[in-house]
């Protein structure tokens, strides 16, 4: 994101023909300045619209219950409270009478499952990414097509067969089953994306290292790895989020019958969905407080690594 | 980092292979850190051996075969079987029923679900690409602070989990206390009383429109950010030359922007199609609130409902495979182009 699109950049470059002095150019400058103000206005409106749901979630997490159920709704809380956050950790998914997994244990399950899936997937896919991006070998094209097909196979299509298979082994309702299931969508993504990052490292740099006496392994360790490390982090974050945000697999394969700290456990998404139940009043305050805790870490990661993540998602698919 | 700038460099990458060592004898390399005897890098590369790439790829390939390849084949098998709760619980005998599962789909829900899915797809993918492209074009012309603000907002939106987004939108469109109703009545677009639960959540059109809104809201950030990165790769000189030639905004868009963005647009279109075709979370959560599911089911939730709500895993398998086949048809041409780009 260089300054190429910046507002001050009216003429293409200083070295260009000196057209700014002519009346037409002056008119053009005016037109562009004008367009810039209009574009800015539209952009601000769009930003406000897109931000509104987040804003609404944010303020409603701090509203006491009697301020939530008002009409017209309050765009700025009349009273502020932290009790929603407190209750999010004590309220139960199905209400106070039925013992249900707590939000804390659900968060723990989500973090643990996602972390294990990411470490495993990134670990083994790094090798495959290296092989397909840096080696020319028989069967490479077939492998790439297979990887692309695996990448394109929709997440949810695998739910039924994986569920039945895991059921055969008696693993439904266990945390390892969910981890195995998540590898299916995450691994093709990590291989494909990492491959893009490895391919984007200029071959010349590696050639130079090899010429300077590095072995292939040390060339990887000292040259490629540091260069793809940011991409690796971005890939890991996105892979983490694939597992972190999933609801369908978590609901079917783990349900609320996982086990942690000696009690029942489910993932955070299943816990959150469980809070909306047509048979009772939804505790919106607690729901949004919990949603905020669930969303904020991911948001911070995204804001930190967004350029890498965006590049990685497309790099893998377009770069050869 | 963006795709546009890197496409021309593609063929070069393939030069570094064991069999494709760089031509020309390289000077003898000095001893490595480990004190290895000097040798040419060509010889070193030969030392690695042809089996290396296979060994490197094998863990991933084996795991992929186990968690994707095998399940897909298994899915094909059960789609020709009667596979219900009995078989699931007891592991009891399964009956081959030929094409019966598929037949029951074609005489049943297939056509309505297909039409609904395609309409949903056209709406969501179309809106996502149009809004994303519009934002990217505006970002190029707007003041820096506005561009940075929008980028931060988009990244924040991108990070919101679909489940959370769905729940926030359900609250925004709450029949009694939702802000959407309040805005609509403030604008006199409908009386408050008329926008009841039934009208928001029990009408297939409004449920799917709401689901589509949640999908588009969440999908625009990635598209807009990627397209803006692509726009920055287009040299400003081209636009300058076009302006000198008297080209207006529309003809600049038609002759410069769109052709040069086409590879990225194609990719985003394919990815959006795959994601929206299988939109699950948004529709599922809305169905939980609204209670109507038959009239709002798209392919993304159909297999789930048939298998896990209806208990017909064989039919669910058939739905799954039909969905994958349809997706291949819809995205086929674009995917072929991408495969060619990746393997050439």
């Amino acid at each position: 994101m260089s300054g190429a699109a910046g507002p001050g950049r009216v003429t293409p470059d200083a070295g260009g023909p000196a057209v700014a002095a002519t009346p037409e150019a002056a008119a053009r400058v005016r037109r562009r300045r004008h367009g810039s103000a209009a574009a800015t206005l539209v952009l601000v409106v769009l930003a406000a619209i897109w931000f509104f749901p987040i804003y609404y979630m944010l303020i409603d997490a701090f509203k006491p219950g009697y301020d939530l159920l008002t009409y017209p709704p309050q765009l700025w809380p009349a009273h502020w409270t932290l009790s929603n956050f407190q209750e999010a950790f004590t309220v139960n998914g199905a209400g106070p009478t039925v013992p249900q997994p707590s939000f804390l244990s659900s968060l723990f399950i989500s973090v643990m499952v996602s972390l294990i899936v990411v470490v495993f997937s990134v670990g083994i896919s790094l090798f495959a990414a290296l092989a397909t991006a840096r080696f020319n070998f028989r069967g490479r094209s077939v492998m790439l097509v297979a990887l692309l097909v695996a990448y394109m196979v929709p997440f949810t299509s695998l739910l039924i067969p994986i569920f039945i298979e895991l059921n055969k082994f008696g693993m439904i309702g266990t945390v390892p089953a969910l981890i195995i299931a998540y590898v299916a969508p995450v691994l093709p993504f990590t291989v494909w994306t990492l491959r893009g990052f490895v391919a984007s490292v200029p071959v010349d740099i590696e050639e130079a290292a090899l010429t300077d006496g590095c072995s292939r392994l040390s060339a990887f360790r000292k040259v490629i790895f540091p260069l793809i490390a940011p991409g690796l982090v971005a890939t890991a974050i996105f892979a983490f989020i694939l597992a972190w945000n999933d609801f369908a697999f978590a609901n079917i394969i783990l349900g609320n019958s996982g086990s942690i700290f000696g009690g029942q456990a489910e993932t955070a998404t299943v816990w959150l969905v469980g809070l909306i139940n047509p048979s009772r009043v939804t505790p919106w305050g607690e729901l949004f407080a919990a949603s905020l805790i669930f969303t904020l870490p991911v948001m911070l990661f995204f804001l930190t690594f967004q350029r890498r993540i965006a590049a990685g998602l497309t790099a893998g698919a377009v770069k050869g | 980092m963006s795709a546009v700038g890197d496409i021309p460099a593609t063929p070069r990458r393939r030069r570094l292979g064991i069999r494709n060592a760089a031509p020309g004898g390289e000077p003898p390399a000095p001893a490595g850190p480990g004190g290895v005897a000097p040798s040419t890098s060509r010889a070193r590369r030969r030392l690695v051996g042809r089996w290396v790439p296979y060994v490197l790829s094998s863990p991933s390939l084996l795991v992929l075969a186990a968690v994707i390849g095998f399940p897909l084949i298994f899915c094909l098998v059960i789609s020709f079987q009667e596979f219900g709760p009995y078989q699931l619980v007891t592991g009891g005998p399964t009956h081959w029923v030929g094409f019966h599962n598929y037949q029951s789909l074609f005489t049943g829900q297939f056509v309505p679900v297909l039409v609904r899915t395609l309409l949903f797809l056209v709406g969501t993918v179309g809106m996502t690409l149009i809004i994303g492209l519009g934002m990217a074009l505006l970002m190029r012309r707007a003041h820096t602070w506005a561009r940075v603000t929008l980028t931060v907002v988009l990244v924040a939106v991108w990070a919101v989990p679909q489940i959370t987004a769905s729940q926030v939108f359900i609250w925004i469109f709450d029949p009694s206390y939702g802000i959407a109703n309040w805005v609509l009545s403030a604008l006199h677009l409908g009386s408050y009383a008329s926008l009841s639960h039934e009208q928001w959540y029990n009408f297939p059109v409004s449920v799917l429109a709401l689901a589509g809104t949640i999908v588009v809201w969440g999908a625009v950030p990635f598209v807009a950010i990627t397209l803006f990165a692509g726009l920055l790769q287009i040299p400003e000189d081209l636009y300058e030359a076009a302006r000198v030639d008297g080209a207006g905004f529309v003809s600049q868009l038609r002759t410069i922007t769109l052709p040069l963005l086409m590879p990225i647009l194609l990719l985003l279109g394919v990815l959006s199609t795959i994601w929206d075709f299988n939109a699950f979370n948004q529709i599922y959560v809305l169905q939980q609130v609204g209670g109507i599911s038959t009239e709002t089911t798209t392919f993304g939730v159909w297999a789930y409902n048939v298998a896990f709500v209806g208990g017909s895993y064989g039919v669910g398998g058939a739905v799954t495979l039909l969905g994958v086949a349809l997706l291949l048809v819809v995205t086929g041409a674009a995917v072929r182009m991408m495969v060619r780009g990746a393997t050439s």
Side-chain angles (χ1 to χ4, degrees), chain A residues 101 109 173-175 254-260 263-266:
Chain A
I109 289 273
T174 67
V175 173
L254 188 60
N256 60 6
S257 56
S259 171
I260 193 91
Q264 280 177 297
E266 57 195 4

Side-chain angles (χ1 to χ4, degrees), chain A residues 12 184 189 224 231 261 295 319:
Chain A
F189 167 78
I224 301 185
F261 304 139
T295 307
K319 269 187 205 112

